[in-house]
C-alpha cells in the first residue's frame, strides 16, 4: 500500500493542503490524474465547488484532479484510478455516500492492490477499521459504520488535548475514546493536526513533527514519537 | 407534558444535578419513586454505579430513584413509572439500549400522557425529533436515529460558542449544525450549559439565565432570550 492518512487538510495560517503538497509527487508518482472523492462536503459545499478547491491545491504539485461525481460509473472510476484522494467534511455523509455508490469495498481493494491513496480528516478516519472514532455529527444514517481498514486500528483525526482551564462540562476527546473502549477493543490513534500516517511497503509509520496519543482498551493512554512503526499495532 | 430538558447535569464548580435539584419537587410532585435510565453510561460506568450517583442527588430533594435495569421487565417499569429521569453519557449507546429494550416508544407515550420526565445531556438530546445533533462519538450502531420527539425540533446540548482565538481546524459546533441543515430541515436549539427547556401545559419555554442559539435551515443563526416560548418552533 501507498497512502497518506492526514489528521487535517489545513494547518493554522496555511492554505488548504499546503503542508501536504510537497509529498504529493512521491505518493502519486505514476499518476497523471487523481480521483477526488468530495462526498464529505465540508460546510455543505457542492461536489463541484469542493473538487475545484482540491484541484487548485493539487495543481501546485502538477497533478490533475477529477471528481468521482463527474464519472457516469463510480465503481469503474475507482477501478481505473491512478490515485485517490478523499477530502474531509462530515464522516457520516462520506460513509453513507461511499456505500450508496457501492465503492467502499472497491476503494479498499484498489488501495490494498497499490493504488495510491490520500485522506484528510474524514478521508483519514475511514482508513481505520470503523468510523466510530469520528468527531462528526450523525447528520445522516449510514448503512454501516465499517470502513476501509487500511490500518488495523481506529483513527481519531483533529485530536485535541483536554483544556485544563476549561469550565465546559461536555466530554473531553479522551473521555469519548474511553467510552468507545467500553464497547470496542481496537486501539485508537489520536492524530494531532500536522501529523499523518504513512503507509508504504507494508509499513505504517507516524509522520509529522508532533507526537500522537495512543489509546488501548483498559490501558492508560500514552504518547508515541513521530517515526514510530505502527504496523503491528493491535 | 411535564418535562425538564437540561443541557448539562453539572455546572462548573457545582455538584452533580445541584442547580436542578430545587426544581425536582415541582416536576415530580406526585412521585414517590422516579425511574432512572442509566443506559448512556458516561465514561463507561456501570448501570449500578450511575444509578447510585443519581439516587444520591435525588435524595437531596427527598425523591427515591430506581434504575430501569433493576426491573425484570423494562417496558412495564416505564408504564408503571411515576416519573422518569434519563441521565447523560453517550447518546448512541443510550438510543441503542432504548431500542434494544423496546422502551423508546413506551417512554414517548408515557411522557406525552403526563409522566414527568427529566433529561440531562444525552437524556435531553433524545427529547428532540432525532439524535442527529448529538456531540457524541458513534461507539455503537443504533437501529435508528429517531428519538422521543417531545419537542418539534432538534436539540444540541452543551452548546459551545466558537472560540475566536482557536487555531484548531476541527469544525466548530456551528459548522456541524450547518452541515446537519444541508440534509435536514428541522430547527436546532443550541442549549448552553445552565439552560433548559421547560415543557408544561403544552408549552415549551427556554429557562435558565442564559440565551440560547437557534439554527434554522438556510437562515443566519440567532440568539433567543430566556423565557422565549418555543412551542410552535418549526
Amino acid at each position: 500500500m501507498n497512502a497518506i492518512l492526514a489528521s487535517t487538510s489545513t494547518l493554522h495560517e496555511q492554505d488548504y493542503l499546503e503542508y501536504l503538497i510537497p509529498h504529493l509527487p512521491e505518493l502519486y508518482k505514476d499518476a497523471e490524474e487523481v480521483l477526488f472523492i468530495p462526498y464529505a462536503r465540508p460546510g455543505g459545499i457542492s461536489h463541484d465547488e469542493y473538487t475545484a478547491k482540491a484541484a487548485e491545491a493539487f495543481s501546485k504539485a502538477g497533478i490533475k484532479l477529477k471528481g468521482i461525481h463527474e464519472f457516469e460509473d463510480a465503481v469503474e472510476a475507482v477501478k481505473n484510478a491512478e490515485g485517490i484522494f478523499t477530502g474531509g467534511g462530515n464522516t457520516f455523509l462520506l460513509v453513507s455516500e461511499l456505500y450508496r455508490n457501492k465503492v467502499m469495498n472497491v476503494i479498499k481493494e484498489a488501495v490494498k492492490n497499490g493504488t495510491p491513496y490520500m485522506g484528510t480528516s474524514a478521508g483519514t478516519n475511514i482508513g481505520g477499521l470503523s468510523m466510530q472514532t469520528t468527531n462528526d455529527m450523525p447528520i445522516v444514517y449510514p448503512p454501516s459504520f465499517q470502513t476501509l481498514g487500511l490500518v488495523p486500528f481506529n483513527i481519531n483525526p483533529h485530536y485535541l488535548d483536554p483544556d485544563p482551564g476549561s469550565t465546559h462540562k461536555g466530554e473531553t476527546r479522551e473521555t469519548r475514546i474511553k467510552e468507545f473502549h467500553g464497547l470496542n477493543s481496537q486501539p485508537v490513534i489520536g492524530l494531532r493536526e500536522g501529523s499523518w500516517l504513512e503507509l508504504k511497503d507494508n509499513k505504517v509509520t507516524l509522520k509529522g513533527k508532533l507526537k500522537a496519543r495512543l489509546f488501548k482498551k483498559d490501558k492508560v493512554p500514552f504518547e508515541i514519537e513521530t517515526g514510530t512503526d505502527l504496523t503491528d499495532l493491535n
Side-chain angles (χ1 to χ4, degrees), chain A:
Chain A
M1 287 190 281
N2 280 297
I4 288 175
L5 301 175
S7 172
T8 186
S9 63
T10 314
L11 292 177
H12 182 58
E13 296 187 328
Q14 284 199 5
D15 287 336
Y16 180 65
L17 299 181
E18 184 174 327
Y19 78 106
L20 294 167
I21 289 171
H23 303 283
L24 302 186
E26 194 197 332
L27 176 65
Y28 297 118
K29 60 178 175 292
D30 299 320
E32 254 186 55
E33 187 178 272
V34 165
L35 183 71
F36 179 55
I37 300 182
Y39 293 153
R41 299 181 57 198
I45 65 170
S46 73
H47 293 158
D48 280 343
E49 286 173 296
Y50 197 12
T51 303
K53 180 182 172 179
E56 193 198 335
F58 265 60
S59 74
K60 294 174 190 166
I63 301 168
K64 274 188 258 178
L65 207 64
K66 190 169 175 179
I68 192 169
H69 64 292
E70 299 173 54
F71 292 85
E72 266 192 37
D73 185 328
V75 170
E76 283 303 307
V78 171
K79 285 184 176 169
N80 296 329
E82 298 172 319
I84 299 169
F85 168 43
T86 305
N90 184 286
T91 311
F92 289 86
L93 180 55
L94 171 60
V95 168
S96 295
E97 289 296 292
L98 290 173
Y99 278 112
R100 196 172 67 82
N101 289 287
K102 299 184 173 31
V103 290
M104 182 69 87
N105 284 316
V106 186
I107 295 172
K108 179 179 177 163
E109 287 311 307
V111 179
K112 293 211 166 179
N113 288 322
T115 306
Y117 179 91
M118 185 168 81
T120 56
S121 191
T124 284
N125 182 275
I126 62 167
L129 292 172
S130 82
M131 58 164 285
Q132 292 177 268
T133 48
T134 177
N135 311 308
D136 295 336
M137 266 189 188
I139 64 172
V140 62
Y141 185 72
S144 167
F145 285 160
Q146 299 308 302
T147 49
L148 300 173
L150 306 178
V151 291
F153 46 86
N154 262 37
I155 301 169
N156 178 248
H158 299 286
Y159 181 72
L160 197 58
D161 292 288
D163 172 1
S166 174
T167 61
H168 188 72
K169 292 298 195 172
E171 291 88 346
T172 64
R173 195 68 60 82
E174 193 156 315
T175 300
R176 295 176 193 283
I177 296 171
K178 187 180 172 194
E179 291 175 354
F180 171 79
H181 276 143
L183 299 171
N184 301 274
S185 59
Q186 64 262 45
V188 178
I189 187 160
L191 282 182
R192 295 187 178 93
E193 294 180 343
S195 290
W196 67 92
L197 299 176
E198 179 193 77
L199 281 62
K200 202 176 183 177
D201 306 330
N202 299 316
K203 264 183 67 176
V204 181
T205 312
L206 177 64
K207 291 282 183 174
K209 288 180 190 152
L210 302 171
K211 297 176 186 179
R213 195 154 183 85
L214 193 56
F215 302 83
K216 291 186 164 190
K217 187 179 170 73
D218 299 330
K219 297 272 199 301
V220 176
F222 58 98
E223 296 288 308
I224 54 170
E225 301 289 333
T226 186
T228 299
D229 185 339
L230 297 166
T231 314
D232 298 318
L233 176 64
N234 59 47

